[in-house]
């Protein structure tokens, strides 16, 4: 039996005091967790009101996403999937762009030049070979940077999971592969995906370090992610991390989890293993946080969201020309002809 | 041996069904009639699929007949090849047409070739089904129309039901067919079309197009959700005194070339409509066949109305410019008449 | 911005090269000129590829520029996407065109879409190259012609060099091109064609067809090794007093539609020839474009000569019935003239 | 460090006497090894003379292939790859058909009804999902049979390797996955494929038994393959076996190994680790074999080959109609039209 790495017990008490980082760092991460949780829930409200398209919530996985992505440094890359919105926000993605992305606004799809963020991947596991390529490229360029990518436990059954991790491992490239094991792949439980007790067992078959981490323990997640990042930065290659967490929300906008899991199971995680509660309890126990600051943070985040929403709402309407932009750098003649077709269609609909 | 003939069921009672319900009903009957039929994929079991098309089937027929699997399209399609070799008839679901790509190697290199490669020793009488097509503002890769990758792959039959009656009859025909058949289930049509459907067993043959509207001025050739769009355009045209022959191909492979040529010979004017991007789309194949077999009947250039040569637009507020609308089809009708 | 113009190199010395040698030379120069260019794949390093097209490049440019990788096409193509995001220009080799399928998801879902998906933030200026085509009696999947899977995939450029001069110039243009380009290297042509090629740098633009023979009776449109077959058929026809315009498309995307239409308007009779199986092959797209843009110039049905709708025949003694031979093309020429 | 399972030392002496099976069984396997080695070399001669197409020799891997396939029982399935000809012959593939297969004669491609042999797969690793499907199908049918499939060490880098093994493992299906690690993937050495010390390390990540075996030790290979087959037959699911062996021959007809490996390396394997020498030495030491029987076996095999070749040579010439047979059970109209095109082409060439 592998042991699950933990620094904080679910009640917020410390297991491994020697591994607790500086409080300002913890506070920064805690703030991101509260912020992303709030945003995630607001986004779902927008989606339900058809003010966003289909949206995949990450609620419950804040420690897992914030704790890992905040182990990165400037110049590092991330290769996110559809559920990584929390990681992307903590990484620095502009909020109004996040909203616009999930609205299907072309300018939301434009990845800002200040972020080494690869596009959000819907095609499960395909981001792992991309991440392996980034890692190999960084190594070849002699850069001291790393790449981090995330996948669900369901995604570990895909061929691309294997091709990507093995490639980075074999080429000793600086990649951190994070499995966010949230128990469910839509309606399919973890057990269907693999007979292995833990998915980080795969690491040995790639000859790289593997870690089993309590994914709802911010400090544990951050500690291991930092360790893997250092390992990579020092030229020692890739790591595979399994973070045990839970999707406290439906799969996406349209999903009703009652069809496949008990409310009791979900409620148990919400009541007893919420990642935000755990770190908040710790901070309060350590007298680093209090109700007043909590209220201030909430207000700040609400304001931030309101502003971002306003910005998104009032953004220039999508220009239909976007449909044919970025199809090719040197557009082939048929694309130029289709610009005319598009112009005609716009005229027809008007 | 030629295609199976239509097997109507005149004595059966009827019930109003959506296209989704008709598909479910067809699968239910297939599970009942043939113990070799099994269904698997991602979320098809307890949950009944993201569009609930396999709803109730696991409960009724058991976990050994309808079950969830690891999340891997190459696994789903590759194991189906092996399942066939032990005598099973797998009916597998891919969650969306855009995830066919993740398992395409197994389709191109194996599902399609296994019989040829073994000279008939190992057949692959499986059915591969998935939701496809635009119009719902889901995520990227959830709106793709990947039929060309399959029509170009030898040995694969390609089916596009557009009415509940056809959906059930084509499903049953596909499952019975000894060749691999891919069923494209349109996400817009799943619940937007309803009609009376016999509750009993019947089949609709693969390879026979359906005449949606009868006309003499222009031939509209299409499949899937574009049938609805063409019908709308043809109705509008009719008000202006232009009558269209609207052909719902129902299956691209086998193709009902006879029906196409008969109509083209009558009208001399052709518009082909599909959701997939234009270049190398199946519309090209149809145009080529017409230009070979009915050239001298043509009185106007063959026009195609299709998606742009980009991925299906993920830009919700503007993706109706990408996916053919009745207005664009109407414009093409006007153009072929003016030519 | 339009396509790059041809950049000839008038001052360069010349050397007789095979098509394979010309490709190698082009890659050698690209490695020299641009330090961002790297090459990888299966066996491209020490061994120089199974057809020896990367021979000498690792020795000359180092293991950090030209290297072997784990055996995985999805890995090779997927990592190339990531390499581009760090500023590299990967030129990756797949061992045969028939193994493209194993990595096709990365091409369809990512190589093709990464730029569109990130609105220009991440480009994929890679080159994917592989040997393809029949005629050598190798193993199954070693003779496939998978171009349709790519011409239908938006955002991908598709190149078919047929002469040593073109091979080198198109290789250099492809590597310079900011879009993803796939180069189809014909296994029969690798060493069967030879000519004088400038030793220095030059490019041949993507999107310009090459007129192989000039004629006025029939237009033959083709690419890859079928250029040789068409030339043979056209020469035989000439002896019988029939003159053919033979077009080597050189690139399918971008397509030189102008050259096609100009020829069709002149001859009014068209035969399209390709190795890939007929249905939904790129010949269909060309026929459709002609039936749209030059219909009234046509004096005969458009004929296609292509492979059968099966996998490329692995049956060595009889696979010349599958792959188009000059005699079959000659027959099509006769037919369009009699129409 | 995993230990490599061995029963016979390279000099033919016994490590684990308690595991030596009955001599008639060993002799039967030894005979197949000598037979397949002879045939393999004859096939290459045919290929070099253009009397066969491209051919992939298995010479050096006879213990690995014969020892594993002969662990199977009637009704079991095999899912071979291009280098599995030795396994296929030992499994019962008719010799004249083997020759005709590699000649590209349609009747050689027809898999005889008495063999549960799936087609030879060229598309590396794709046979593993097929095998997983067969295994799942056997289990669902309540059969007591198993399936065995082989892959090269290069093939373990493919996504399909992972998808197949994980599927069979997760569904507890009766599959035996054999990695024939022969050191090279054409010119690419084992080290490029993976950073893992041994590829059987992957087994743990799938939750199934993994074995590291001396692939040139017939008895070791057979023992472990039998164990895995029993495990599967008893309803315990899949296993992953890595057999360390060596490709003593070129990759295929056209390959010249001098381009990428030293003659000394190959010669060392030939001189000191030939799998046939090892088991022959053992049998001779045990007085179960002698020069006389060896000569008789050679004569027998030569005769068998000559007869098979004669049969293949005089077989009805391929009928071009074969090109369009088996394309579909219910051929679509375009295929029927193409039969006419084929008839025309045949006429034109005549
Ligand atoms: C290649 C592919 N197949 C199927 C899907 C449809 N799909 C979307 S989410 C999902 C479940 C994913 O589960 P997991 O990997 O555990 O990630 P989670 O959603 O739990 O974060 C599936 C099957 C997809 N997006 N991509
Ligand atoms: C999907 C795929 N990619 C590439 C090839 C080309 N190829 C044939 S053999 C080979 C090397 C295989 O090495 P390994 O898996 O170790 O098996 P071995 O040949 O050594 O038995 C390659 C790359 C192929 N057949 N299939
Ligand atoms: Mg999950
Ligand atoms: Mg090998």
């Amino acid at each position: 039996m592998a042991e699950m790495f933990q620094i904080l017990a679910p009640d917020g008490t410390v297991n491994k005091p020697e591994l607790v980082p500086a409080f300002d760092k913890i506070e920064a991460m805690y703030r991101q967790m509260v912020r992303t949780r709030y945003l995630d829930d607001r986004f779902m409200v927008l989606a339900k009101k058809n003010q966003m398209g289909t949206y995949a919530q990450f609620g419950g996985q804040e420690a897992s996403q914030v704790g890992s992505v905040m182990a990165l440094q400037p110049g590092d890359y991330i290769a996110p999937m559809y559920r990584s919105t929390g990681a992307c926000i903590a990484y620095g993605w502009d909020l109004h762009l996040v909203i616009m992305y999930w609205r299907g606004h072309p300018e939301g799809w434009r990845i800002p030049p200040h972020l080494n963020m690869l596009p959000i991947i819907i095609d499960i596991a395909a981001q792992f070979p991309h991440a392996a390529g980034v890692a190999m490229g960084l190594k070849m360029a002699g850069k001291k940077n790393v790449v981090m990518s995330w996948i669900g436990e369901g995604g570990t059954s895909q061929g691309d999971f294997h091709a990507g991790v093995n490639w980075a491992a074999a080429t000793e490239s600086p990649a951190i592969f994070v499995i966010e094991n949230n128990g469910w792949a839509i309606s399919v439980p973890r057990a269907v995906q693999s007979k292995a007790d833990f998915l980080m067992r795969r690491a040995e078959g790639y000859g790289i370090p593997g870690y089993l981490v309590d994914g709802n323990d911010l400090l544990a997640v951050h500690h291991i992610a930092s360790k893997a990042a250092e390992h990579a930065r020092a030229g020692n290659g890739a790591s595979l991390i399994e973070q045990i967490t839970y999707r406290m929300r439906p799969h996406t906008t349209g999903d009703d989890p009652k069809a496949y899991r008990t409310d009791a199971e979900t409620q148990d995680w919400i009541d007893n293993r919420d990642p935000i509660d755990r770190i908040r309890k710790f901070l309060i126990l350590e007298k680093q946080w209090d109700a007043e600051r909590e209220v201030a943070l909430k207000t700040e985040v609400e304001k931030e969201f309101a502003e971002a929403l306003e910005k998104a709402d009032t953004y220039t309407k999508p220009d239909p020309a976007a449909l044919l932009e970025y199809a090719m750098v040197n557009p082939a003649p048929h694309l130029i002809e289709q610009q005319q077709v598009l112009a005609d269609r716009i005229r027809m609909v008007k | 041996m030629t295609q199976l003939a239509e097997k109507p069921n005149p004595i059966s009672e009827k019930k109003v069904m959506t296209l989704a319900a008709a598909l479910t009903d067809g699968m239910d009957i297939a599970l009942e009639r043939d113990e070799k039929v099994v269904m698997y994929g991602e979320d098809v079991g307890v949950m009944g699929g993201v569009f609930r098309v396999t709803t109730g089937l696991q409960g009724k027929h058991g976990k050994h007949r309808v079950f969830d699997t690891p999340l891997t399209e190459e696994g789903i399609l590759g194991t189906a090849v092996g399942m066939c070799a032990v005598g099973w008839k797998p009916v597998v679901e891919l969650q969306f047409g855009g995830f066919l790509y993740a398992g395409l190697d197994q389709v191109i290199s194996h599902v399609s070739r296994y019989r040829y490669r073994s000279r008939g020793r190992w057949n692959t009488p499986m059915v591969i089904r998935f939701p496809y097509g635009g119009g719902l503002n889901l995520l990227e890769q959830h709106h793709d129309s990947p039929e060309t990758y399959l029509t170009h792959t030898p040995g694969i039959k390609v089916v596009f039901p557009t009415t509940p009656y056809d959906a059930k009859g084509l499903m049953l025909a596909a499952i019975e067919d000894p060749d691999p058949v891919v069923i494209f289930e349109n996400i817009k049509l799943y619940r937007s079309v309803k009609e009376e459907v016999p509750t009993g067993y019947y089949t609709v043959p693969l390879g026979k197009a359906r005449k949606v509207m009868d006309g003499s001025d222009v031939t509209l050739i299409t499949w899937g959700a574009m049938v609805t769009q063409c019908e709308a355009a043809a109705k509008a045209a009719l008000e202006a005194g232009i009558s269209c022959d609207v052909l719902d191909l129902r299956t691209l492979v086998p193709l009902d070339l006879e029906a196409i040529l008969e109509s083209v010979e009558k009208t001399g004017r052709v518009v082909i409509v599909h959701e997939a991007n234009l270049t190398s789309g199946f519309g090209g194949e149809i145009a080529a066949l017409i230009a070979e077999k009915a050239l001298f009947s043509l009185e106007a250039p063959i026009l195609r109305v299709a998606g742009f040569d980009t991925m299906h637009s993920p830009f919700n507020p503007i993706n109706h410019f990408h996916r053919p609308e009745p207005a664009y089809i109407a414009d093409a009708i006007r153009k072929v008449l003016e030519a």
Side-chain angles (χ1 to χ4, degrees), chain A, chain B:
Chain A
M1 235 325 264
E3 216 195 317
M4 189 163 76
F5 184 79
Q6 222 181 40
I7 294 181
L8 293 182
D11 65 1
T13 57
V14 191
N15 286 335
K16 304 188 179 64
E18 71 284 8
L19 297 183
V20 174
F23 282 119
D24 57 345
K25 187 159 193 184
I26 302 177
E27 185 182 323
M29 292 194 285
Y30 173 70
R31 288 176 162 274
Q32 287 291 359
M33 287 172 70
V34 172
R35 177 174 176 246
T36 52
R37 165 76 55 94
Y38 176 80
L39 294 168
D40 187 52
D41 285 334
R42 300 305 303 180
F43 293 165
M44 189 48 118
V45 172
L46 289 180
K48 289 277 181 202
K49 290 195 288 187
N50 269 324
Q51 291 173 20
M52 271 188 4
T54 299
Y55 176 64
Q57 288 198 277
F58 53 84
Q61 302 178 211
E62 291 86 356
S64 163
Q65 298 196 8
V66 170
S68 55
V69 80
M70 288 183 76
L72 296 182
Q73 294 179 8
D76 291 347
Y77 281 66
I78 64 171
M81 59 177 277
Y82 56 85
R83 202 176 302 288
S84 312
T85 307
C88 294
I89 294 175
Y91 182 68
W93 197 9
D94 315 71
L95 266 198
H96 68 288
L97 295 181
V98 180
I99 297 170
M100 287 161 61
Y101 171 84
W102 287 105
R103 277 183 175 175
H105 190 300
E107 292 311 303
W109 281 62
R110 185 187 302 279
I111 295 180
H114 65 281
L115 296 180
N116 279 345
M117 177 172 108
L118 300 188
I120 286 179
I121 296 300
I122 306 296
D123 180 29
I124 288 179
Q127 71 275 18
F128 268 30
H130 306 161
V134 167
M136 184 167 81
L138 288 168
K139 182 184 176 186
M140 287 172 60
K143 294 249 172 76
K144 283 275 164 247
N145 287 110
V146 307
V147 60
M148 184 178 284
S149 189
W150 297 266
I151 199 166
E153 85 295 341
T156 64
S157 300
Q158 286 279 23
D160 271 359
F161 164 84
H162 174 71
V165 178
N166 185 52
W167 186 293
T171 58
E172 303 188 320
S173 297
I176 301 135
F177 295 106
V178 179
I179 302 168
E180 289 196 78
N181 178 351
N182 64 5
W184 295 90
I186 312 186
S187 73
V188 180
R190 153 66 182 84
V192 170
Q193 303 296 341
S194 172
K195 220 193 143 188
D197 56 354
F198 292 106
L199 296 160
M200 47 66 77
R201 296 281 188 216
R202 306 247 166 102
E204 206 185 336
Y206 302 123
I208 57 173
Y211 302 97
L212 181 66
V213 182
D214 184 334
N216 283 10
D217 174 355
L218 174 72
L219 301 189
V221 168
H222 187 68
H223 180 79
I224 296 296
S226 303
K227 191 166 161 176
E230 269 163 47
H231 179 82
R233 225 178 284 287
N236 299 315
S239 300
L240 181 67
I241 303 175
E242 178 176 12
Q243 297 173 177
I244 307 294
T245 180
Y246 190 78
R247 164 163 64 71
M248 293 185 180
R249 304 285 183 256
H251 170 67
T252 55
T253 323
D255 178 49
D256 178 8
K258 283 190 208 307
Y260 52 82
R261 66 186 190 188
T262 64
D263 282 349
E265 173 187 307
T266 310
Q267 205 53 51
D268 177 46
W269 280 88
I270 292 176
D271 293 344
N272 304 313
R273 277 178 281 180
D274 185 304
I276 299 186
D277 289 349
R278 183 175 328 184
I279 184 69
R280 185 194 297 112
K281 281 181 193 155
F282 166 75
L283 285 172
I284 291 172
L285 281 174
E286 299 283 335
K287 310 224 183 316
Q288 300 292 324
W289 195 253
D290 54 34
E292 203 176 315
R293 275 185 273 188
E294 185 80 19
V295 171
L297 173 57
K298 266 274 162 57
T299 316
E300 189 182 303
V301 169
E302 280 169 19
K303 183 157 166 281
E304 188 195 8
F305 171 70
E307 283 169 10
L309 185 59
E310 166 77 12
K311 199 161 168 187
D313 284 347
T314 56
Y315 208 96
T316 324
K317 292 270 159 295
D319 179 354
L323 288 173
L324 282 160
E325 281 165 17
Y326 301 104
M328 282 184 184
V329 182
N330 284 339
H334 69 280
L335 285 167
I336 293 169
E337 192 177 327
Q338 289 179 18
Q339 286 168 5
Q340 188 52 52
V341 174
L342 174 59
D344 290 346
R345 288 186 179 182
I346 294 168
R347 209 180 7 79
M348 284 174 221
V349 168
K350 262 179 196 152
Chain B
M1 190 172 166
T2 54
Q3 307 311 310
L4 298 171
E6 179 150 11
K7 294 183 207 152
N9 185 332
I11 59 155
S12 174
E13 295 200 356
K14 291 190 173 186
K15 219 181 113 181
V16 173
M17 297 184 198
T18 60
L19 187 124
L23 291 166
T24 312
D25 195 32
M27 288 190 277
D28 186 13
I29 293 175
L31 283 161
E32 199 88 63
R33 286 170 58 95
D34 183 353
E35 60 177 20
K36 287 300 181 187
V37 172
V38 294
M39 299 185 177
Y40 61 92
E42 297 153 7
D43 304 290
V44 299
V46 172
M47 180 165 130
V50 286
F51 287 98
R52 305 295 189 276
V53 183
T54 56
T55 293
L57 298 181
Q58 182 179 76
K60 181 162 169 195
H61 300 279
K63 284 196 180 177
H64 57 298
R65 305 286 305 281
V66 181
F67 52 92
D68 293 329
T69 67
L71 200 171
T72 158
E73 284 74 18
E74 54 195 321
I76 292 170
L77 296 164
T79 58
V81 170
M83 287 282 284
C84 289
V86 193
W88 296 102
K89 238 185 178 304
V91 177
V92 299
E93 176 177 300
L94 304 183
Q95 204 152 82
F96 284 91
F99 306 132
L100 169 66
Y101 316 136
L104 205 45
D105 181 39
Q106 284 291 347
V107 178
I108 299 176
S109 306
H110 307 288
V111 173
S112 123
R113 301 180 180 197
Y114 228 61
R115 179 164 195 270
Y116 192 84
R117 183 184 284 152
S118 65
R119 301 270 299 157
R121 175 64 202 286
W122 306 115
N123 293 0
T124 47
M126 67 180 72
V127 171
I128 302 166
R129 36 173 297 273
F130 47 73
Y132 88 97
L136 285 191
N137 289 345
L138 302 176
L139 304 177
E140 198 213 319
Q141 297 208 235
H142 287 61
H143 287 311
D144 290 24
S145 298
E147 64 263 31
T148 300
Y149 298 106
L150 297 166
T151 56
H152 184 57
T153 301
I156 308 281
K157 293 176 177 170
V158 179
V159 176
F160 278 81
T162 63
T163 69
Y165 179 87
D166 282 1
K168 178 171 169 181
L170 288 168
M171 174 65 78
L172 280 160
I175 295 176
E176 250 173 62
D177 196 275
D179 294 309
V181 181
V182 180
I183 304 187
F184 280 70
E185 304 175 357
N186 190 276
I187 58 176
K188 277 288 274 187
L189 297 181
Y190 265 148
R191 288 183 167 76
S192 66
V193 294
K194 268 188 198 162
E195 69 180 353
E196 284 212 322
V197 172
T199 54
Y201 167 84
Y202 68 93
T203 62
V204 169
L206 309 185
K208 290 269 159 272
R210 180 173 70 93
K211 178 70 71 73
V212 180
M213 282 173 67
D214 218 18
S216 54
D217 298 324
V218 175
T219 299
L220 300 183
I221 301 171
T222 192
W223 54 94
M226 294 300 105
V227 171
T228 322
Q229 309 288 73
C230 284
E231 220 180 328
K235 280 184 182 151
L238 203 54
E239 307 207 336
I242 299 157
S243 81
C244 296
D245 233 26
V246 181
L247 272 189
D248 169 2
L249 289 180
R250 291 209 286 208
T251 64
L252 305 190
V253 184
L255 181 67
D256 191 348
L257 189 56
E258 243 171 81
I260 292 173
L261 297 180
E262 193 183 291
S263 177
V264 174
E265 278 153 20
K266 176 172 65 176
T267 67
R269 297 180 150 84
V270 183
V271 175
I272 304 167
V273 184
H274 59 71
E275 260 186 275
N277 55 296
L278 181 76
T279 298
S280 269
F282 193 69
E285 179 63 24
I286 295 172
L289 288 167
I290 296 171
E292 178 190 344
K293 316 233 180 223
L295 184 80
F296 298 120
S297 304
L298 287 176
E299 290 168 48
I302 302 175
L303 293 190
R304 289 177 289 166
V305 181
F308 295 123
D309 282 309
T310 66
M311 64 184 190
H312 184 282
S313 163
F315 305 139
N316 297 342
I318 51 175
N319 61 20
H320 55 285
F321 293 118
H322 179 104
R323 186 169 176 265
E325 290 282 329
Y328 320 153
I329 302 166
D331 186 58
I333 294 174
R334 194 165 46 248
K335 281 191 183 133
V336 293
L337 282 165
E338 282 166 9

